[in-house]
Amino acid sequence: MPAAIGRMPCFALPIRLRSIATTAGSRMIRTRSLLLFLLCVGLPICDAVEAPNVVPIDDHLVTSGQPTRESLAQLGAEGFQAVVYLAPSSVEDAIADEADILRGQGIEFVHVPIVFRAPNAAEIDQVAAALDRLAGKKVLVHCQINMRASTVTFLYRAGYRGEDPAKAFESVTQVWVPEGAWKQMVIEVLAARGVDFDPF
């Protein structure tokens, strides 16, 4: 299976497939679209999390917005071993007993509450330390709509794990382009970590 399919955000698939189906009239194109859809439906990493803006990074790392209560209750069955939650517990769509739901399945819960309007580099260090410790485990990093999570995970991959920053940043642009305080933090963290890359 092409690697690109595995990294495609699940929420984007219906849009892309609908576009293919409506812009091409041939039966072959429609058949290929259906096959592509069925292939992705069969990917466990796509089905594993019911949440906004799910972006699989690799077999062990996924970012997303807030999963539903039902999805949280199934993460253990989907093979997840840890969840890193990056929004404050006071946000409107937070699930108050998320930690209990996860720990009841033997899933480690790490909470680094990042205030959206005021992220800071110390919080990135905290997340990086947690992800380093969880290396080799299947981890979900989530916030509300995957703006915090996608950006922080990018900074970890590019600044702490030494991955290609341009490639790592693709997982951010599937969700948004950081602006304001987040744009400034990205620039500062990359510079502090010695990463020569300007995503803006």
Side-chain angles (χ1 to χ4, degrees), residues 8-175:
M8 190 180 298
C10 298
F11 69 90
L13 283 170
I15 298 171
R16 182 168 297 186
L17 291 172
R18 184 165 59 249
S19 175
I20 293 172
T22 56
T23 58
S26 75
R27 179 177 299 177
M28 180 179 294
I29 294 295
R30 289 195 299 271
T31 301
R32 288 176 63 187
S33 300
L34 177 60
L35 288 173
L36 179 59
F37 173 78
L38 292 175
L39 282 171
C40 191
V41 166
L43 284 173
I45 203 164
C46 275
D47 289 340
V49 183
E50 184 181 345
N53 297 337
V54 179
V55 180
I57 305 300
D58 56 35
D59 290 342
H60 291 91
L61 186 60
V62 179
T63 68
S64 78
Q66 176 65 55
T68 64
R69 176 180 295 275
E70 294 75 18
S71 183
L72 289 173
Q74 292 299 315
L75 289 181
E78 297 290 353
F80 284 93
Q81 297 162 289
V83 169
V84 180
Y85 178 40
L86 301 183
S89 56
S90 58
V91 297
E92 184 177 352
D93 56 355
I95 295 178
D97 57 345
E98 175 169 343
D100 293 335
I101 293 171
L102 296 171
R103 289 170 181 152
Q105 303 168 72
I107 297 174
E108 181 173 350
F109 179 72
V110 178
H111 190 198
V112 181
I114 301 176
V115 175
F116 188 80
R117 66 180 179 275
N120 64 73
E123 293 163 336
I124 309 304
D125 285 337
Q126 284 183 263
V127 177
L131 291 176
D132 276 344
R133 181 173 55 78
L134 296 168
K137 295 185 177 182
K138 188 172 181 180
V139 180
L140 171 66
V141 182
H142 85 84
C143 53
Q144 291 178 276
I145 56 174
N146 203 7
M147 294 169 79
R148 294 174 180 88
S150 63
T151 307
V152 172
T153 301
F154 155 70
L155 289 172
Y156 168 68
R157 294 170 63 199
Y160 296 75
R161 206 159 76 175
E163 295 187 27
D164 176 6
K167 186 174 181 61
F169 195 66
E170 291 174 2
S171 63
V172 180
T173 58
Q174 291 180 39
V175 180

